[in-house]
Amino acid sequence: MRELALDDIEALAVGAWILGTGGGGSPYLGLLNMRRLYAERHRIELMSPLDADTMGRAYPEAQMTSVAVGDLRPYPCVLYDPRGIEAVVTQVPSWKWMERVSRKICVEMGSIASTCKAPRTGHEVKEWGIHFTVTKAIGIGHRVRAAQRHHADPVAAILDEGKGKLLFRGKIVDVARRTTEGFLRGRAAIDGLDEDRGSRLEIAFQNEWVVAWRDEMPLAMSPDLICVLDTVSGEAFGTETIGYGRRVSVIALPAPPVFLTQKGLEHVGPRAFGYDLDFRSVFERSA
């Protein structure tokens, strides 16, 4: 058990947004709430093994993560929107149905809602959690903030801390988005700069970055973490915030091992999201 300082909370917001792989929702409003709570002398303690989540990143659909959550019951689920509208899903037969019902409610709320699911026991977290993800996010966030303070390269700091790989540097030249069935879908096109000049990277997203092609050849894909970062600040761009003219660095971070198994790839590999591709990790190619 360790108490988190406000500086840890600030770092967590930066690191979690990077590990969110373009989705999961911006942590900014949550950070503002935490700043206020800390100003009121509240404190958060981080406990092992509750230093965990079910994905170690974000995925477009909750049922896709059943390889990690195992037999955990998906209900109840509470949704709340900024206007005070509340909804409670009391019982569904599966995670797939929880996802479908919750997204329909969220769409009716204006496509933004906070959710809270049932608490888990220590045994469930030990058995099914991706451990130490909070600590990982805090560590990445601290490295980014330190690089910013010292005018160093924050992208290089992330690659070092997360054991990642730089895929591409360039400028956003086009973004096509559409919202369907509660998902933000589309593609972003990036023209290369510096050593990548003359090439183009296209990334398909479904809430999160899913598959990247360099000059029409598959380069990176889920479950490897594809992260699009501001080249100067090192902070992440979400699929809903990326825009024309942004100078970005695209990196890959290693996926949790559970998702690289045969069962894991059935749930979160590129075919699970509709892409006719066999998974190949960028880290296998660099080995």
Side-chain angles (χ1 to χ4, degrees):
M1 183 91 73
R2 70 182 180 98
E3 183 178 294
L4 298 183
L6 181 58
D7 191 52
D8 294 320
I9 301 296
E10 300 280 348
L12 176 60
V14 174
W17 195 213
I18 292 170
L19 294 178
T21 59
S26 169
Y28 180 67
L29 294 180
L31 175 61
L32 293 182
N33 288 334
M34 292 303 299
R35 286 172 177 170
R36 179 174 179 178
L37 289 171
Y38 267 63
E40 295 171 352
R41 300 185 181 277
H42 297 283
R43 294 296 182 269
I44 300 295
E45 292 184 328
L46 185 60
M47 177 189 299
S48 180
L50 299 173
D51 176 2
D53 70 0
T54 59
M55 294 185 279
R57 50 164 295 162
Y59 281 113
E61 299 183 66
Q63 73 267 24
M64 297 300 181
T65 65
S66 60
V67 64
V69 300
D71 296 327
L72 300 187
R73 288 157 48 100
Y75 44 82
C77 176
V78 178
L79 296 94
Y80 180 90
D81 90 336
R83 294 161 297 188
I85 299 174
E86 298 176 0
V88 181
V89 181
T90 58
Q91 186 162 328
V92 289
S94 67
W95 282 96
K96 181 176 181 178
W97 275 101
M98 173 61 74
E99 178 80 11
R100 291 179 64 179
V101 172
S102 298
R103 286 196 179 275
K104 294 293 185 184
I105 295 172
C106 182
V107 169
E108 292 300 317
M109 289 178 166
S111 296
I112 182 170
S114 297
T115 66
C116 182
K117 297 181 177 67
R120 302 303 179 187
T121 67
H123 174 76
E124 288 173 328
V125 174
K126 289 177 183 178
E127 184 73 14
W128 301 110
I130 307 297
H131 294 168
F132 307 113
T133 53
V134 178
T135 293
K136 181 178 181 179
I138 292 173
I140 290 174
H142 276 311
R143 290 293 301 273
V144 171
R145 286 162 55 81
Q148 291 170 345
R149 288 194 301 270
H150 294 97
H151 304 289
D153 183 353
V155 176
I158 295 167
L159 295 174
D160 180 63
E161 182 72 19
K163 305 298 186 287
K165 181 178 180 180
L166 178 66
L167 302 179
F168 201 81
R169 290 188 192 271
K171 172 186 173 182
I172 301 290
V173 294
D174 189 35
V175 181
R177 298 186 185 91
R178 67 190 189 281
T179 301
T180 58
E181 300 179 341
F183 295 102
L184 182 66
R185 305 174 192 265
R187 284 199 180 206
I190 308 168
D191 278 355
L193 296 173
D194 303 326
E195 66 272 17
D196 296 307
R197 189 174 298 277
S199 291
R200 172 171 287 195
L201 190 77
E202 292 195 6
I203 315 178
F205 55 86
Q206 181 182 327
N207 288 5
E208 286 74 41
W209 311 110
V210 180
V211 180
W213 293 265
R214 179 172 182 146
D215 298 327
E216 301 184 351
M217 296 295 294
L219 176 62
M221 61 196 74
S222 173
D224 281 351
L225 282 70
I226 301 171
C227 309
V228 181
L229 312 173
D230 184 288
T231 295
V232 175
S233 72
E235 298 194 14
F237 286 116
T239 56
E240 79 277 20
T241 63
I242 197 74
Y244 176 84
R246 302 284 192 177
R247 263 61 174 180
V248 299
S249 295
V250 182
I251 70 168
L253 298 175
V258 66
F259 295 124
L260 300 177
T261 64
Q262 181 177 350
K263 182 179 180 183
L265 291 175
E266 289 174 1
H267 287 278
V268 297
R271 294 187 187 278
F273 303 110
Y275 298 95
D276 187 19
L277 296 169
D278 293 322
F279 173 71
R280 188 180 180 196
S281 174
V282 299
F283 300 99
E284 292 176 1
R285 284 194 287 270
S286 63

